Amino acid sequence: MSAARGRFLTVEGIDGAGKSTHVSWLEKTLRARGHEVLLTREPGGTALGESLRKLLLAEPMDADTETLLMFAARQASLVEVIAPALARGAWVISDRFTDATFAYQGAGKGVAEDKLAVLERWVQGDLQPDLTLLFDVDVKVARERLKNAREPDRFEREGGAFFERVRAGYLERAAKDPQRIRIVAAGETPEHVQSQLEIYISNI
Ligand SMILES: Nc1ncnc2c1ncn2[C@@H]1O[C@H](COP(=O)(O)OP(=O)(O)O)[C@@H](O)[C@H]1O
Ligand SMILES: [Mg+2]
């Protein structure tokens, strides 16, 4: 990593954990510190990626197809958006990244971890986020939040048992890489969530 390279932050967690809400806060806070900040999301981030997002959030498909489309969108986003931004010194915040595939398609839908690891290596090489903020929250709390917030997409329509597996998958991944993946107690008030984020971003 050259000295000029920016930082790559990812935000993870089950639907309704508060990722998108707090990504905006992170963006504002890091800009106020003088960084160029690029905000992106997965799937999405490029014209192609946003088209794939529409398909992924609406169209029924098997779990392997879903996995491959997720990685296709990720590849495009890395090449077109994330890598160039990091190279010019920007801080990139991505609302979800590869940990989400391990949690949703892996733990949630049973796609084998070794297949995911091959795709991760293919698309990312050695690149990993500098910091991943894992918004961890009780599944019932997250579902209650979503009920009041929006019409559910194809993923958000999954049942509670699915989200329990996804949550457990995220926590297992965090246990394997505790330096990179920091757990945020996301069931707390927004103010308390932000104070946890403050501490984590001050250390990178
Ligand atoms: N800490 C929090 N406490 C209470 N409600 C929250 C909190 N964080 C987010 N919310 C609300 O929960 C809903 C889902 O938040 P969102 O940021 O869209 O979650 P995600 O992007 O993880 O799916 C929104 O209505 C949001 O206002
Ligand atoms: Mg969101």
Side-chain angles (χ1 to χ4, degrees):
M1 192 200 307
S2 85
R5 184 181 167 279
R7 293 283 184 280
F8 184 24
L9 272 57
T10 61
V11 179
E12 297 283 1
I14 61 174
D15 294 271
K19 297 178 298 297
S20 303
T21 303
H22 291 94
V23 148
S24 306
W25 179 87
L26 276 170
E27 180 187 24
K28 217 171 42 190
T29 304
L30 291 170
R31 280 219 174 104
R33 293 184 187 177
H35 299 297
E36 180 194 344
V37 179
L38 186 131
L39 191 57
T40 184
R41 66 174 181 180
E42 282 211 347
T46 64
L48 174 67
E50 291 294 328
S51 296
L52 290 171
R53 178 186 185 89
K54 286 201 190 90
L55 291 172
L56 280 158
L57 296 191
E59 202 68 42
M61 63 184 79
D62 68 88
D64 283 335
T65 302
E66 185 175 296
T67 300
L68 292 164
L69 288 178
M70 288 287 183
F71 270 104
R74 186 165 297 138
Q75 167 72 24
S77 170
L78 272 172
V79 169
E80 291 176 37
V81 176
I82 296 176
L86 292 173
R88 68 172 183 265
W91 286 46
V92 176
I93 307 171
S94 188
D95 189 338
R96 297 191 183 284
F97 195 62
T98 301
D99 298 312
T101 312
F102 279 86
Y104 278 73
Q105 284 73 44
K109 299 192 174 179
V111 176
E113 206 173 312
D114 58 348
K115 287 186 184 168
L116 300 179
V118 168
L119 291 168
E120 178 183 37
R121 184 88 198 156
W122 181 0
V123 168
Q124 286 165 239
D126 288 331
L127 180 79
Q128 284 292 342
D130 296 292
L131 173 67
T132 296
L133 298 161
L134 172 55
F135 280 55
D136 184 57
V137 66
D138 186 273
V139 170
K140 285 202 185 75
V141 171
R143 287 168 75 81
E144 201 54 43
R145 285 180 186 171
L146 282 183
K147 233 193 269 169
N148 304 318
R150 56 185 178 248
E151 277 298 304
D153 62 35
R154 188 168 69 88
F155 289 95
E156 292 166 353
R157 282 196 297 271
E158 294 276 358
F162 172 78
F163 285 105
E164 294 289 357
R165 291 196 298 279
V166 173
R167 183 187 185 193
Y170 268 130
L171 290 171
E172 196 184 308
R173 189 123 164 111
K176 284 184 190 151
D177 200 352
Q179 284 301 319
R180 171 173 70 85
I181 304 177
R182 303 294 184 172
I183 298 171
V184 177
E188 309 285 343
T189 62
E191 293 71 27
H192 190 225
V193 169
Q194 285 161 19
S195 68
Q196 297 173 69
L197 300 180
E198 288 263 18
I199 294 167
Y200 289 140
I201 60 175
S202 68
N203 288 327
I204 55 162

